[in-house]
Amino acid sequence: MDPAVDFAALYKEFDTAVMGRKTYEVATAQGGHGAIPGLDVVVFSRTLPAATYPGVRILNDDPRKIVAELKAKRGRDIWLFGGGNLFRSLLDAGLVDTVEVAVMPVLLGAGIPLLPTGAPTELVLADQKILPASGIVVLAYSVAGSAGPAPRVRYIRSGKSRKKAKRTSGAPKRRAAKKRVTKKRA
């Protein structure tokens, strides 16, 4: 955790989070139905039965069709919250506009790939931030040919705010990578 990350500002960028079954099961293992306060959570699964809980919908529909419909609606951006297979299918369908990656200063001997093997996708660097307290590097890329440039990384507090942030605890853990599906603006 880096005290410079303003999770409230990060969550305000989105009104919807989409995830696959595996990510959903990790979220529900912590209790509840995987709801994220302030966000409409849409879970795509071929094995879980379709269901609706407060703030969460589990769908068995084609995620490409549903995400295209969500993008067409007015509102804030859509957060593709984990799910490498879901990421690959939406990326291949041209539905991912931005990829944000946080490079953590830890060397692992193994891990889970960001997404499964597939066609290469060209990314264009839009912004970068270095968090001095932790050494985390946040990189924001636009997917080449997507709707527009990636938004700037705005959820990092300035140095003056960091001291105040260090006194706060209990902020939720953040995924190492964030994929953004930008909604069309009317």
Side-chain angles (χ1 to χ4, degrees):
M1 291 301 287
D2 190 294
V5 178
D6 182 348
F7 287 98
L10 172 65
Y11 290 139
K12 284 181 184 175
E13 294 180 12
F14 306 97
D15 59 13
T16 305
V18 297
M19 63 180 74
R21 177 194 51 83
K22 292 177 188 173
T23 302
Y24 176 69
E25 287 177 346
V26 169
T28 58
Q30 299 172 16
H33 290 289
I36 300 173
L39 300 179
D40 177 32
V41 176
V42 180
V43 179
F44 295 101
S45 175
R46 290 184 296 267
T47 56
L48 295 174
T52 301
Y53 304 104
V56 178
R57 291 181 291 148
I58 301 173
L59 304 176
N60 305 125
D61 302 317
D62 181 354
R64 296 167 297 192
K65 178 181 181 265
I66 300 299
V67 170
E69 290 170 1
L70 288 170
K71 282 185 71 160
K73 294 179 180 178
R74 286 183 58 97
R76 290 179 268 155
D77 289 344
I78 302 165
W79 187 352
L80 174 51
F81 191 83
N85 291 325
L86 179 59
F87 179 23
R88 169 53 70 195
S89 72
L90 296 177
L91 187 64
D92 289 349
L95 295 168
V96 177
D97 302 306
T98 301
V99 177
E100 287 186 26
V101 180
V103 179
M104 305 297 177
V106 176
L107 296 175
L108 301 175
I112 299 170
L114 186 59
L115 73 158
T117 304
T121 302
E122 185 179 335
L123 303 175
V124 178
L125 184 64
D127 198 9
Q128 60 191 3
K129 298 282 189 224
I130 299 172
L131 287 62
S134 63
I136 295 171
V137 179
V138 179
L139 303 166
Y141 295 94
S142 290
V143 174
S146 66
R152 308 295 287 177
V153 177
R154 291 186 208 113
Y155 53 87
I156 305 298
R157 292 183 183 103
S158 67
K160 292 179 183 178
S161 301
R162 252 184 236 133
K163 288 181 183 176
K164 181 179 177 184
K166 284 183 181 180
R167 286 185 247 135
T168 353
S169 62
K173 291 185 179 180
R174 178 166 181 258
R175 306 274 310 167
K178 176 171 57 127
K179 290 77 69 179
R180 182 185 304 256
V181 179
T182 307
K183 289 187 179 178
K184 292 180 182 174
R185 305 287 182 215

